[in-house]
Amino acid sequence: MVAPAPASLGGTIQLHGPWLAPDVLAKLEDQQRKVAFDLNMGWLNPKHERRIALRSAKLSRANSRVSLQGEFGLLDSKGVARNDFKLNGEFAGINPAEFVNSPKGVITGQFKLAGALLPVMRADVDYSLQDSRFNGEVLSGKGQLRLEETRVSNADLWLALGTNRVDVDGALGRANDTLKLKLNLPQLQLFGPGFAGKASGDAQLKGELLNPQIAAQLSLHSLQTPFGVSVNQAQIDAHLQSDLKGPFQLHAEVIDAKAAGVLLQKLSFKVDGSRAKHHATLQVQGKKEEQLIDLSTTLDGGVNEQWAWRGMMQSLQVRQPLEVNLADPLPLEAGAGLLRLGDARLLMGDTRLHLQHFSWNDGALDTAGDLEQLSVGQWLPLLGQKDLIGNLMLGGRWNLQSKGGLNGALEIHRQSGDLKYVNASIVPQKFHLQDFKLQINAKKSVIKLESSLSSDRFGQVQASGKALVDAVNWRLVEHSPVDILVKGDLPKLAMLGPLLGPDLSLGGKGSFEVRHSGLLVDQQWAGFVNGDNLSIRDSATGLALQDGKVRVALDKRQIVLQQFQFKGGQGNLEAKGSFDLSGPSPSATAQVTANKLTLISKADMLVVMSGQGDISLRDKALSVSGRLRADEGDIRFQSNDVPRLSDDVVIKGRAKAPVEAGPKLTLQMDLDLGNSFRFRAYGLDARLTGLLRLRTQANQAPTATGVVQVAENSGNVHSTYSAYGQKLDIERGILAFQGPIDNPSLDILAMRRGQEVAAGVQVSGSALRPRVQLYSEPGMPDNEKLSWLLFGHGSDSMEKSDSALMLQVANALLTSGDGGPSFTEGILGQVGLDAVGFSSQKEKDGTSTQVVSVGKQLGKNVRVSLEKSVNGLRDAVKFTWQLSKGWSLVSRVGTDETTGDAYYTFTFD
């Protein structure tokens, strides 16, 4: 919705003539809204009477124009109030869409209004429309009418839109008067978007204006409205005599009606008898969301001269959503500002209610009764609560009067049973309720509250309060003190963990107290929240904190975090801060310090961190700054992603969940990876070092500056990169961040050395557009580089080993785009192997056999492999020592022969 433009009204107002009877000339204009107003008014015969003359009043907005002329008499020549009036008006080009939310139109016509307010009210109305259209259809009408205090007469008026027409004819107010109304709306869609269907009906009203004899009928078919109300079919017939003993009939049948989320599949309401004594029945069937509705009731009673109904509700049966029955007939009285119920017993499922009496008369309440048994578990689904079930039973009683001030008492207590919290992600959790009490006493509008709850899961909670209420408007009296005290002892926080999720477990104990005294506007709050021997474990994230201690103080409008201490692994976490509610928007500050804190510890991730940070909230803007260092890290990532739609894809018919705007974030955080941070993912197994500076401004994407690089290989620590089925030593690995955090520039070199030709992979470009190239020393064609990378020899020695190349290429394809280990690496890694290959070997008789080999790198220069031939004649175990770039020793122990060889390899062009 577009906000209206601010007003810019300007112009002149002039007064001329005697100061007791001046003429007024005004010329005003609002150029922003294209509105103009011209006024010329004064006095008629001011020496003898007080009569205002509206000589001319013209109002225009865009193409809409209204002009008025008239008179209004205040006092006649004798000083007697007359209050007679006469007003003639013309309107042209009126477009309703400029003033209200409706279709466009052009309405032109005139009207006349004449009459008096004293000694009795009377008015003659005359109107006509010409050359008018609404929503693209012809709009026409004409009519006249006389209105008096007790009578409507000379009615002859009609209004039509296309084929839709309404007619009113006749008079009403005297014994022989008859007023006829006719409604014929066969094309409701002409009224605008959202309307559809048809409606028809007629009515005759005879006799007195306020107590007429009525005969009416109304039919609706396929009705649709833009207000969320629809009716497939409805028929209403009414016949009512003006006297109390005359016949009274009202029959209403509605089929498939929708409104406010409720579907009425069938509604039947019938009244037969007279106004003074009649019989009524009501039947309703339908549903709201998934809850079925099925009820029926019968009543016997009558309406008095003041149109107040008095009688008996003979029966009430509700079969859905909860079975309800009326044990005995219920005395009932209802009228304007009046509702009285007599002694009654209601059976609602397992709930039993004894109503002694109920009276609401002009805002004054007087009621008493017994809540013999309330089945909480049966009422929770009706209140929309689907996560709680159980057999909790409550009992209680009440006795309240509000006339001259609120007095009485309300008491509710637990009788038996318990509640359970159910959720698809966790096992049902019992509340283990032991006791619950609520007592409210009122005397001269001062209410006092006492409540207590005892549970093995929640501990003990007590609440008390005192306040002064306005018994007329049913609210707290302004500028009166309110006393509140809520306190609790939670000795088993471990019992709360399962309620928060399947992966979270808590430990320790807690206590709290919240107090308020004085005026609510002064916010005189005080109290504390304490926790001791706390522990938090989240198996999903690996978070594990223990030996915790928390101290929170509440001081007026400030929440102060005085102490927050936890241990994690061999380190600890501390925090202090405050949350201020005194300003127009909340503000907060916090300081967090970690010292060798084991933040995450699980099978695939270990993070131990130190550092400190500051968090602040000001004017709905969140600022985070600080510096963190990884004392130790080991992250193993394997992608389990499944295909999913992009965030900008909209599925027709599925409402998109609203996204709530959070606070504006400003981030200034330095991340130091330290000297012991291992990362294993995307074929990379490396120790990373470096410093990243993360920055984010409000409503902007995060950026990073800094360099992350692979640490140099030393000792038993080797950084490797798996490519084409081989593990390559990373000799250079640099990720340079200068801008978006997800697109660093890359400079990576991973090599297979210890052979005549060193071969490997070189990665450059950026994370979003990487360039991967084969690399060798000395340089050679890519097919030779690939051969040395895969097999440790040139392509001239491959013979018929094309199948080996196919396996490596297939493995690379299966690995493409996956964040986890490669196809073969995932299998071989389970049994401790890191390579597999195929080759063809010639036998002495000239035939060939296929040989499968699997291998394991025992050290940088030592490798062991197991060979298995298809014919079973060349099975062997082979050890290879790479002595230098050209020299290697190979020892082979096989079923065919045992050999020891020394190889020197060189290449030439």
Side-chain angles (χ1 to χ4, degrees):
M1 180 179 291
V2 179
S8 57
L9 187 64
T12 61
I13 300 177
Q14 299 179 0
L15 279 74
H16 300 279
W19 71 277
L20 290 178
D23 290 336
V24 180
L25 300 176
K27 191 175 185 63
L28 304 175
E29 186 177 9
D30 184 345
Q31 295 182 351
Q32 196 74 18
R33 291 184 170 87
K34 299 180 180 179
V35 175
F37 177 63
D38 292 340
L39 175 66
N40 182 351
M41 62 181 294
W43 296 87
L44 289 175
N45 197 16
K47 294 182 179 180
H48 302 284
E49 58 179 333
R50 305 298 291 173
R51 176 174 294 275
I52 299 175
L54 181 63
R55 301 185 184 97
S56 173
K58 297 180 180 179
L59 176 66
S60 64
R61 178 180 181 183
N63 295 323
S64 301
R65 299 183 306 278
V66 178
S67 61
L68 302 173
Q69 290 181 331
E71 301 177 7
F72 188 81
L74 300 177
L75 300 174
D76 60 14
S77 58
K78 298 180 179 180
V80 177
R82 296 185 58 183
N83 296 138
D84 61 304
F85 56 86
K86 181 171 62 175
L87 184 66
N88 297 332
E90 296 181 355
F91 47 91
I94 301 296
N95 181 8
E98 293 183 356
F99 306 94
V100 296
N101 185 17
S102 74
K104 294 181 179 180
V106 179
I107 303 176
T108 301
Q110 58 271 336
F111 67 89
K112 295 179 180 180
L113 181 63
L117 300 179
L118 295 175
V120 293
M121 192 280 290
R122 64 175 177 81
D124 291 313
V125 181
D126 192 317
Y127 74 90
S128 63
L129 300 178
Q130 302 92 26
D131 300 328
S132 298
R133 303 185 75 85
F134 178 79
N135 196 29
E137 296 292 328
V138 174
L139 177 65
S140 57
K142 185 176 182 181
Q144 61 184 14
L145 177 71
R146 167 166 282 194
L147 296 173
E148 298 173 277
E149 285 187 355
T150 60
R151 191 169 186 246
V152 175
S153 59
N154 298 332
D156 182 12
L157 51 98
W158 60 273
L159 187 66
L161 176 63
T163 58
N164 300 301
R165 179 167 173 136
V166 178
D167 290 88
V168 180
D169 178 61
L172 183 64
R174 294 178 182 173
N176 296 324
D177 286 346
T178 300
L179 185 67
K180 297 179 180 180
L181 297 90
K182 187 174 182 180
L183 183 72
N184 183 25
L185 309 176
Q187 293 181 297
L188 288 174
Q189 67 271 20
L190 301 183
F191 286 90
F195 286 98
K198 57 183 179 180
S200 62
D202 57 68
Q204 282 191 359
L205 289 80
K206 298 181 179 180
E208 298 179 6
L209 181 64
L210 299 180
N211 191 24
Q213 175 184 334
I214 301 174
Q217 69 86 23
L218 175 67
S219 298
L220 302 177
H221 297 278
S222 304
L223 173 67
Q224 299 285 339
T225 73
F227 318 116
V229 177
S230 64
V231 179
N232 185 36
Q233 186 175 345
Q235 180 69 39
I236 301 173
D237 292 285
H239 298 274
L240 175 65
Q241 294 295 324
S242 58
D243 61 298
L244 294 178
K245 296 182 179 181
F248 175 27
Q249 289 184 332
L250 174 62
H251 293 178
E253 298 285 342
V254 179
I255 304 297
D256 293 337
K258 294 181 181 179
V262 177
L263 169 62
L264 291 180
Q265 297 167 326
K266 181 180 179 181
L267 183 148
S268 176
F269 181 54
K270 296 181 179 181
V271 180
D272 291 288
S274 64
R275 279 176 54 187
K277 186 178 181 180
H278 52 254
H279 177 74
T281 62
L282 172 66
Q283 292 182 329
V284 177
Q285 292 179 342
K287 65 180 181 179
K288 181 178 181 181
E289 297 178 349
E290 300 301 321
Q291 294 287 348
L292 296 178
I293 301 172
D294 188 355
L295 66 89
S296 62
T297 183
T298 60
L299 303 100
D300 287 308
V303 178
N304 61 20
E305 294 285 357
Q306 289 73 39
W307 288 93
W309 191 92
R310 178 181 294 178
M312 301 288 290
M313 180 181 288
Q314 300 291 358
S315 67
L316 172 64
Q317 289 185 325
V318 180
R319 289 164 285 275
Q320 296 286 350
L322 182 67
E323 186 175 349
V324 178
N325 288 284
L326 190 63
D328 300 300
L330 170 65
L332 173 62
E333 185 177 357
L338 172 67
L339 177 62
R340 287 196 181 101
L341 305 176
D343 187 272
R345 291 183 179 273
L346 284 174
L347 307 178
M348 298 170 284
D350 293 331
T351 297
R352 299 193 304 271
L353 177 71
H354 177 207
L355 177 66
Q356 297 176 12
H357 65 269
F358 177 92
S359 174
W360 179 270
N361 191 357
D362 291 332
L365 175 68
D366 184 1
T367 180
D370 296 303
L371 185 60
E372 297 176 350
Q373 180 174 281
L374 173 64
S375 177
V376 176
Q378 290 183 341
W379 287 96
L380 286 173
L382 305 181
L383 300 175
Q385 179 54 256
K386 299 180 181 179
D387 294 335
L388 292 178
I389 62 173
N391 58 354
L392 177 63
M393 296 293 181
L394 300 178
R397 61 182 56 87
W398 74 92
N399 186 356
L400 297 170
Q401 304 84 36
S402 66
K403 188 174 182 179
L406 184 62
N407 295 278
L410 168 66
E411 182 264 330
I412 298 176
H413 61 274
R414 173 184 176 271
Q415 292 178 337
S416 63
D418 197 9
L419 291 177
K420 292 180 182 179
Y421 177 73
V422 293
N423 190 285
S425 60
I426 64 174
V427 176
Q429 299 293 319
K430 292 183 178 181
F431 282 11
H432 298 289
L433 291 175
Q434 297 170 327
D435 188 31
F436 170 73
K437 294 180 181 178
L438 172 65
Q439 180 75 43
I440 299 177
N441 294 302
K443 186 176 181 180
K444 296 181 179 180
S445 294
V446 176
I447 61 171
K448 294 182 180 180
L449 178 147
E450 296 286 342
S451 181
S452 64
L453 180 146
S454 179
S455 163
D456 279 347
R457 183 176 292 275
F458 300 109
Q460 291 76 39
V461 179
Q462 295 87 36
S464 61
K466 180 180 178 182
L468 179 65
V469 298
D470 180 352
V472 176
N473 298 304
W474 292 93
R475 63 186 182 187
L476 294 176
V477 175
E478 295 184 5
H479 307 298
S480 64
V482 176
D483 296 333
I484 300 173
L485 172 61
V486 182
K487 60 181 180 180
D489 185 17
L490 312 177
K492 302 176 183 178
L493 292 179
M495 301 285 284
L496 299 180
L499 298 177
L500 304 178
D503 303 316
L504 188 66
S505 61
L506 303 177
K509 61 180 181 179
S511 61
F512 66 90
E513 182 176 305
V514 177
R515 303 182 303 277
H516 180 275
S517 61
L519 302 179
L520 284 178
V521 294
D522 294 335
Q523 299 290 314
Q524 297 295 324
W525 295 96
F528 63 85
V529 177
N530 293 338
D532 294 287
N533 300 320
L534 302 176
S535 64
I536 304 174
R537 297 182 183 276
D538 187 354
S539 59
T541 63
L543 176 69
L545 302 175
Q546 61 274 342
D547 297 336
K549 186 175 183 179
V550 173
R551 294 290 183 268
V552 178
L554 178 60
D555 183 14
K556 296 181 180 179
R557 299 190 182 186
Q558 269 204 342
I559 301 174
V560 182
L561 180 61
Q562 298 175 332
Q563 188 176 9
F564 183 91
Q565 295 179 340
F566 277 92
K567 289 184 179 180
Q570 302 299 315
N572 59 74
L573 174 68
E574 296 183 358
K576 291 184 178 181
S578 63
F579 194 84
D580 192 349
L581 300 172
S582 60
S585 62
S587 62
T589 60
Q591 300 81 40
V592 182
T593 303
N595 182 26
K596 295 184 178 179
L597 174 71
T598 302
L599 184 63
I600 301 175
S601 178
K602 56 180 183 175
D604 59 351
M605 188 176 298
L606 172 67
V607 177
V608 180
M609 304 196 74
S610 297
Q612 61 183 15
D614 295 309
I615 304 172
S616 66
L617 177 65
R618 292 282 188 278
D619 298 327
K620 299 181 181 180
L622 182 65
S623 175
V624 180
S625 62
R627 181 184 179 91
L628 295 175
R629 174 183 171 84
D631 299 294
E632 183 179 356
D634 190 352
I635 298 176
R636 307 178 192 183
F637 176 74
Q638 181 172 352
S639 174
N640 292 314
D641 289 346
V642 295
R644 62 185 181 90
L645 295 175
S646 175
D647 293 337
D648 59 353
V649 174
V650 178
I651 301 177
K652 186 177 180 179
R654 183 183 300 177
K656 191 172 183 179
V659 179
E660 296 185 2
K664 298 178 181 179
L665 174 64
T666 300
L667 175 68
Q668 298 186 35
M669 184 65 68
D670 294 346
L671 298 180
D672 187 349
L673 298 183
N675 299 319
S676 183
F677 193 93
R678 188 179 182 186
F679 183 80
R680 289 180 272 186
Y682 303 103
L684 179 68
D685 184 352
R687 184 163 56 88
L688 303 179
T689 63
L691 177 65
L692 281 182
R693 300 181 183 274
L694 303 181
R695 300 291 185 266
T696 297
Q697 297 296 327
N699 302 321
Q700 295 182 4
T703 61
T705 58
V707 175
V708 174
Q709 57 188 0
V710 176
E712 294 183 1
N713 294 331
S714 61
N716 294 325
V717 178
H718 293 278
S719 296
T720 62
Y721 177 68
S722 297
Y724 302 102
Q726 303 294 325
K727 281 193 175 181
L728 310 178
D729 289 336
I730 298 178
E731 298 184 354
R732 182 176 69 250
I734 300 174
L735 283 74
F737 293 82
Q738 189 66 43
I741 193 172
D742 60 347
N743 193 30
S745 59
L746 307 177
D747 184 5
I748 301 172
L749 179 63
M751 298 295 294
R752 177 179 179 176
R753 295 191 181 274
Q755 56 191 27
E756 181 181 354
V757 175
V761 176
Q762 187 177 36
V763 183
S764 59
S766 66
L768 298 181
R769 300 186 65 181
R771 295 190 298 273
V772 182
Q773 297 174 308
L774 294 171
Y775 178 83
S776 68
E777 296 175 358
M780 55 184 58
D782 282 351
N783 63 326
E784 290 295 326
K785 296 176 185 177
L786 184 61
S787 178
W788 282 100
L789 176 63
L790 296 180
F791 313 116
H793 57 73
S795 60
D796 56 346
S797 303
M798 288 182 62
E799 297 183 358
K800 296 182 180 180
S801 57
D802 292 343
S803 57
L805 179 60
M806 291 178 62
L807 176 65
Q808 308 296 343
V809 173
N811 184 48
L813 291 174
L814 288 170
T815 306
S816 177
D818 190 0
S822 67
F823 176 67
T824 54
E825 186 180 351
I827 298 175
L828 300 177
Q830 301 295 323
V831 294
L833 302 176
D834 53 27
V836 64
F838 291 88
S839 63
S840 296
Q841 298 291 337
K842 285 185 178 180
E843 301 290 355
K844 293 180 179 180
D845 60 1
T847 62
S848 297
T849 185
Q850 300 296 319
V851 178
V852 180
S853 65
V854 292
K856 173 70 176 178
Q857 194 79 25
L858 300 180
K860 183 175 182 181
N861 300 318
V862 181
R863 182 177 186 82
V864 62
S865 59
L866 174 65
E867 297 179 347
K868 176 65 179 177
S869 62
V870 174
N871 59 15
L873 300 178
R874 296 184 63 86
D875 299 349
V877 176
K878 184 166 65 176
F879 294 89
T880 303
W881 290 268
Q882 192 71 38
L883 302 178
S884 65
K885 180 177 180 180
W887 284 99
S888 62
L889 296 178
V890 179
S891 175
R892 181 178 180 278
V893 180
T895 56
D896 55 340
E897 59 182 352
T898 299
T899 60
D901 301 287
Y903 291 92
Y904 180 79
T905 305
F906 63 94
T907 60
F908 57 90
D909 295 331

